[in-house]
Amino acid sequence: MADASRLLTRLSERVFVDPSDRAAFVDALQHPQPEPPAVLWLRDRPAELPWAALPSLPWQPPFVDRLAPGTRPGQHPLHEAGHFYCLDFSSVVASSVMGAIAPAPQVVIDLCAAPGGKSLFSWAAFQPSVLLCNEVVRKRVKILIANLKRCGVTTARVMNLDPAAIAEPLAHSADLVIVDAPCSGQSLLAKGQKVPGCFHPVTLSRNAKRQKRILANAAALVRPGGYLAYMTCTYAPEENEQVGSWFLKQFPEFEAVEVAHLATLQSPLADWPCYRLWPHMGLGAGSFTALFRCEPISPAQDLVAAPFPHDFVQQYSFEIYA
Ligand code: SAM
């Protein structure tokens, strides 16, 4: 515990210059407060909400409501009926980079999909004609399917493959690839959960390596002119800015996209556009997010959907409505 506390202090010193920011950050992790939950509407949003909603932020998508801390929307019958999905507002902030994508992507691949929050966000935002939700950990596939089904995401297909097995068969076919990467999960501390070893250098380096491997496979899936959204729920720069910098160097055909509504959350730890929500900002436990765009080969090919290999998907995906 003393070691964790020492590593946390060291992290705060690396990510903040201002001592009062450092202290507020450490305090948010050591004394977790209830976070404002959010709901993501997938079916009709009632004109009158059953709960008190907090005022919308200027950029907040119309299909998201931010609720007062302590609200438990998951217990409402509309949840069971699939009208909405509950998520942390940090996930809304991270997913909101999708708001900088236009026109709406038609083919979306979510490589790390369970339990389904980012896939559902992309569905609410774009209603893509193909939404491919992949989850490599087999025991997590069930909850992913259950959430997609409950929320009526009719065109989604679910896969249970390592991203490396998808990269080649579906190469350059996606308008948007989402990598909500497995990470050291440091922000779970701000929710009052225990995450042993989450500050340990070995944990950070193992997660950074895994994220690089997933991003390299994700890059292969993006078609020219398409997008790659990369996000985590951890604070360590080794897994966020440093992985993103590695990615931009390894894949020079990608550039980081400025997301205007997140400008105030620009990470001071990078010289390219990427964004940080910190746990002491009162909006959630914290997240990192960035949007990369693959350069179009020519303006004529910009956002023209490449033929999608439906046979591969048919063969390797679960029929969620079986
Ligand atoms: N996107 C999800 C959502 O919004 O509900 C949360 C995803 S969670 C942060 C990361 C996911 O990556 C987990 O479901 C985990 O099982 C999966 N994962 C773990 N190792 C992986 C790997 N090597 N490649 C791809 N995904 C992996």
Side-chain angles (χ1 to χ4, degrees):
M1 187 63 197
D3 197 38
S5 169
R6 186 175 52 81
L7 291 171
L8 168 58
T9 304
R10 209 182 280 169
L11 172 64
S12 75
E13 288 164 359
R14 288 195 300 128
V15 296
F16 296 109
V17 177
D18 186 333
S20 65
D21 282 333
R22 291 176 185 167
F25 171 69
V26 170
D27 187 60
L29 268 60
Q30 291 181 334
H31 304 101
Q33 300 297 317
E35 306 285 350
V39 294
L40 178 66
W41 293 97
L42 283 314
R43 299 188 215 241
D44 305 333
R45 178 185 181 277
E48 283 227 355
L49 285 186
W51 327 274
L54 298 176
S56 283
L57 302 179
W59 55 266
Q60 200 169 302
F63 50 81
V64 171
D65 280 303
R66 190 167 60 105
L67 308 179
T71 313
R72 295 174 171 230
Q75 295 176 348
H76 194 278
L78 284 177
H79 180 261
E80 187 54 35
H83 284 248
F84 63 84
Y85 180 80
C86 304
L87 73 176
D88 187 287
F89 199 73
S90 305
S91 291
V92 175
V93 173
S95 306
S96 78
V97 293
M98 294 184 215
I101 300 175
Q106 285 306 301
V107 176
V108 175
I109 302 178
D110 185 350
L111 275 185
C112 315
K118 309 300 181 302
S119 291
L120 288 165
F121 191 100
S122 73
W123 172 258
F126 306 126
Q127 289 91 47
S129 50
V130 176
L131 173 56
L132 190 53
C133 308
N134 181 68
E135 171 53 51
V136 71
V137 177
R138 190 160 190 108
K139 64 175 194 262
R140 289 171 61 82
V141 168
K142 203 171 161 191
I143 182 69
L144 172 63
I145 292 178
N147 283 329
L148 294 168
K149 224 167 158 174
R150 181 175 59 78
C151 296
V153 183
T154 48
T155 57
R157 307 278 309 189
V158 172
M159 282 187 164
N160 174 220
L161 294 174
D162 188 286
I166 302 174
E168 202 186 316
L170 297 187
H172 309 302
S173 64
D175 300 315
L176 168 63
V177 177
I178 304 168
V179 174
D180 184 14
C183 65
S184 55
Q186 293 164 350
S187 75
L188 298 178
L189 296 175
K191 298 180 181 183
Q193 297 179 29
K194 295 212 181 325
V195 196
C198 68
F199 296 114
H200 199 284
V202 173
T203 307
L204 308 190
S205 123
R206 199 177 17 190
N207 277 290
K209 270 194 203 137
R210 182 164 57 168
Q211 289 169 22
K212 288 176 184 174
R213 195 170 77 83
I214 298 170
L215 285 174
N217 287 307
L221 292 169
V222 180
R223 65 159 186 76
Y227 293 83
L228 169 51
Y230 163 53
M231 59 273 279
T232 78
C233 65
T234 204
Y235 311 123
E238 291 84 346
E239 292 174 67
N240 296 316
E241 288 85 356
Q242 289 175 26
V243 169
S245 296
W246 170 88
F247 179 79
L248 290 168
K249 200 162 164 210
Q250 289 293 315
F251 299 93
E253 68 275 28
F254 282 84
E255 64 170 11
V257 177
E258 273 186 36
V259 180
H261 71 263
L262 296 180
T264 56
L265 301 183
Q266 169 64 43
S267 167
L269 307 170
D271 57 4
W272 48 275
C274 58
Y275 307 94
R276 288 278 199 163
L277 183 76
W278 297 105
H280 49 290
M281 289 176 163
L283 287 176
S287 53
F288 169 88
T289 189
L291 182 67
F292 302 119
R293 186 174 191 216
C294 181
E295 67 188 19
I297 290 177
S298 76
Q301 281 169 294
D302 195 4
L303 285 174
V304 174
F308 191 74
H310 290 282
D311 290 351
F312 175 83
V313 173
Q314 203 72 32
Q315 190 177 349
Y316 289 102
S317 64
F318 291 72
E319 179 54 75
I320 68 171
Y321 284 94

